[in-house]
Amino acid sequence: MEYPVGTEDTYESIERHYAGKSVFITGGTGFLGKVFVEKLLFSCTNLNKIFLLIREKNKSDATERIKQLLDLPMFDRVRKDRPENLEKIVALSGDVGLPNLGMREEDEQMLIEKVSHVFHFAANVKFNETLKVAMDTNVEGTRRVLNLCKRLKNIEVFVYVSTAYSNTDNQVLEEIVYPSPASIDEIYRILDKEVPNEDQVKRLICGRPNTYTFAKALAESLVNKEHGDVPTIIIRPSIVSASMCEPLMGWLDSWFGATALIATVAKGLNRILLSKTTNILDLIPVDYVSNLAVVAAAKCQRSKEVTVYNCCTSDANPLTIGELYRLITEDSVKHNFHEIICPTLLFTQSKWLLNIVTLIMQTIPAFIGDCWLRLMGKPPRFMKMQARIALICSTLQYFTSHSWQMKCQRTRDLFSSLSVSDRLEFPFDPTHIEWDKFIPIYCMGIRKFLLKES
């Protein structure tokens, strides 16, 4: 890969920018958050401290969860090459869903004195969450983090990680803050009066596909309106996918995003999709999102305006669903990953045809397969598998059946402004993704990290 000539002599490197500084991170135990923490530890070697807000989970406190986090294979290179940097992580017990983030007063005071960079990754990413819960975590949680930022003595930047699908009522998505889809106060007035049913929620979320994207749109508006003097950045990733290179090639730790869909297509268990081959599915490697967050914060200029970066591929380097399907099935056949001979995928824009083909090609064969397993004295599994596939498809149906053009020129300009060494260390220009190489990496990650195949 060739890069334009940088200006090393007059340029402050990303690593130098973070030297001696301390950062505060919410959502650091999530898929994207973990990759971000690892990148800071590995590439910003002179960073002072990383304060992670961690809530207790499964009877494990913040300290125990940090130990579990750092034992993951994705931190192998830090343990090997930068073991001293692991001591820079400070676990703070708390929760964005609680007043004052659920932190102890002494922990809050420590952040006020020491932190200069705040990264807010934490979110409830369940598409089918109730509107009240989505609002409290994704809107009020963001408000709580922003209020903390306003009290930090040395604040340089607040980075809010949103989603590119927060404004899907627009066909072309620019790197701007869009008007709020609704009044936050009005939404709360309605929620205080009653628990809305499914039809009422559909009306309240103003054409958004689910409560998650609606709450994210409201949170963007909140950040834009209430950030005050805090230099603020909004980063909008599209569908966050397996890592391209870092911390491990193809790294995955969950079935979120497009991962479950890709796996079921590769297995040959999903035979029809509500879409058309020319629709674009906007995938972005997780390390590209992480790198953009590191760099955008380092290059933030003090301004009253909120800077928006779309971390997407559909405009600069589009991948059609038809091409994605071809690459998935080629890889599946190559590695004998499929359970059905010659995995195929049909595309339709008709819901009734979708239901008929699903019944004939998936549900009935699954029922027959389970009957055969029972005759052989084995536990049935195919119908349960089809139920999961149906849930996956219904969750992603809106995103596969629509197509958007997500602009990312500001993101590309930021990358072009970097020195040669920083471009190599923090790649995030979407035009550098080669889909015929990345999709096999993605499929390998599913097999290796999620299904634990050798």
Side-chain angles (χ1 to χ4, degrees):
M1 186 181 297
E2 296 183 1
Y3 295 93
V5 176
T7 54
E8 304 283 358
D9 52 342
T10 61
Y11 174 87
E12 181 189 49
S13 70
I14 303 302
E15 181 181 13
R16 193 185 311 151
H17 170 84
Y18 284 99
K21 296 178 180 177
S22 294
V23 306
F24 174 60
I25 302 170
T26 72
T29 58
F31 175 45
L32 172 57
K34 285 198 285 280
V35 174
F36 179 77
V37 169
E38 195 277 344
K39 184 61 175 178
L40 283 180
L41 291 174
F42 187 78
S43 296
C44 301
T45 54
N46 294 314
L47 191 75
N48 184 24
K49 294 291 183 183
I50 296 177
F51 296 99
L52 290 183
L53 186 74
I54 300 179
R55 57 190 175 88
E56 294 184 5
K57 186 178 182 182
N58 299 328
K59 298 182 180 180
S60 297
D61 62 15
T63 303
E64 180 60 31
R65 290 193 67 194
I66 280 293
K67 290 179 182 178
Q68 296 170 0
L69 176 73
L70 298 180
D71 282 341
L72 293 173
M74 63 176 295
F75 286 93
D76 283 350
R77 64 175 184 170
V78 178
R79 282 194 294 269
K80 179 182 177 183
D81 299 335
R82 315 265 198 275
E84 67 284 357
N85 282 1
L86 296 174
E87 302 300 320
K88 297 182 178 183
I89 294 185
V90 180
L92 303 179
S93 181
D95 188 335
V96 297
L98 298 175
N100 295 321
L101 303 176
M103 287 193 297
R104 299 183 305 172
E105 191 174 327
E106 53 266 39
D107 288 342
E108 184 181 39
Q109 191 58 42
M110 179 169 56
L111 297 179
I112 289 171
E113 298 292 335
K114 295 184 176 182
V115 167
S116 58
H117 295 57
V118 175
F119 299 87
H120 180 35
F121 293 97
N124 186 323
V125 298
K126 294 180 181 178
F127 286 179
N128 59 349
E129 191 58 88
T130 65
L131 182 56
K132 183 176 177 56
V133 172
M135 291 289 292
D136 189 52
T137 304
N138 297 339
V139 179
E140 291 310 306
T142 302
R143 193 197 301 270
R144 295 177 187 116
V145 177
L146 186 56
N147 287 340
L148 172 65
C149 290
K150 293 176 181 178
R151 300 198 297 275
L152 302 182
K153 292 182 178 180
N154 303 304
I155 186 68
E156 291 186 26
V157 62
F158 167 54
V159 177
Y160 171 58
V161 180
S162 182
T163 171
Y165 295 95
S166 58
N167 297 283
T168 51
D169 53 324
N170 297 278
Q171 190 66 39
V172 178
L173 299 165
E174 304 282 354
E175 291 170 298
I176 60 173
V177 179
Y178 286 91
S180 177
S183 164
I184 294 175
D185 291 340
E186 182 61 29
I187 295 295
Y188 282 129
R189 275 195 291 272
I190 294 171
L191 292 177
D192 286 342
K193 292 179 182 177
E194 60 180 329
V195 178
N197 59 37
E198 188 175 339
D199 290 335
Q200 289 171 320
V201 169
K202 284 182 179 180
R203 289 196 296 271
L204 286 175
I205 63 178
C206 308
R208 266 51 176 194
N210 49 57
T211 55
Y212 168 70
T213 58
F214 176 68
K216 280 293 195 177
L218 292 182
E220 284 190 13
S221 177
L222 172 76
V223 167
N224 185 53
K225 182 180 178 182
E226 299 187 10
H227 71 94
D229 294 327
V230 177
T232 300
I233 289 170
I234 294 174
I235 292 177
R236 292 196 194 116
S238 52
I239 302 173
V240 183
S241 308
S243 64
M244 175 78 80
C245 298
E246 297 179 300
L248 298 167
M249 186 178 291
W251 171 256
L252 282 166
D253 74 347
S254 78
W255 291 99
F256 287 125
T259 303
L261 178 64
I262 288 173
T264 57
V265 171
K267 282 284 189 182
L269 300 173
N270 190 4
R271 315 284 281 187
I272 187 166
L273 196 65
L274 191 68
S275 183
K276 53 184 179 180
T277 57
T278 54
N279 280 1
I280 295 169
L281 197 65
D282 200 307
L283 306 180
I284 191 74
V286 63
D287 44 341
Y288 273 45
V289 187
S290 170
N291 289 338
L292 173 59
V294 174
V295 171
K299 295 302 176 183
C300 179
Q301 302 294 322
R302 283 199 171 270
S303 170
K304 294 285 186 181
E305 301 298 320
V306 172
T307 304
V308 179
Y309 294 101
N310 286 346
C311 194
C312 312
T313 56
S314 55
D315 180 59
N317 186 11
L319 172 69
T320 66
I321 289 183
E323 179 67 5
L324 174 64
Y325 158 65
R326 182 185 69 81
L327 293 170
I328 292 169
T329 50
E330 282 182 0
D331 184 83
S332 176
V333 171
K334 179 179 178 180
H335 294 94
N336 196 29
F337 182 63
H338 49 91
E339 293 192 21
I340 306 296
I341 297 174
C342 299
T344 57
L345 186 66
L346 303 176
F347 297 90
T348 182
Q349 295 176 270
S350 168
K351 288 190 177 182
W352 70 266
L353 184 59
L354 174 76
N355 293 333
I356 290 173
V357 173
T358 300
L359 176 67
I360 295 172
M361 298 185 67
Q362 294 178 207
T363 307
I364 293 175
F367 178 76
I368 294 171
D370 277 350
C371 290
W372 177 253
L373 287 175
R374 286 191 178 95
L375 290 173
M376 298 292 290
K378 296 179 181 180
R381 64 189 182 95
F382 292 114
M383 285 299 290
K384 185 181 290 186
M385 197 179 296
Q386 281 300 318
R388 290 176 185 156
I389 291 170
L391 179 61
I392 292 166
C393 290
S394 65
T395 301
L396 297 177
Q397 197 172 86
Y398 181 85
F399 304 98
T400 59
S401 61
H402 292 76
S403 195
W404 295 271
Q405 184 181 6
M406 300 176 180
K407 301 287 187 179
C408 61
Q409 191 57 52
R410 182 178 286 125
T411 296
R412 297 190 61 204
D413 288 344
L414 177 64
F415 183 79
S416 297
S417 73
L418 301 180
S419 66
V420 173
S421 57
D422 274 345
R423 279 177 242 176
L424 291 169
E425 187 67 26
F426 301 95
F428 58 85
D429 187 334
T431 62
H432 294 165
I433 300 171
E434 298 177 65
W435 294 115
D436 60 344
K437 294 180 180 178
F438 175 64
I439 298 305
I441 290 173
Y442 197 167
C443 293
M444 177 274 293
I446 292 173
R447 295 193 299 271
K448 181 176 181 180
F449 298 113
L450 296 181
L451 299 177
K452 309 298 181 183
E453 295 185 2
S454 59

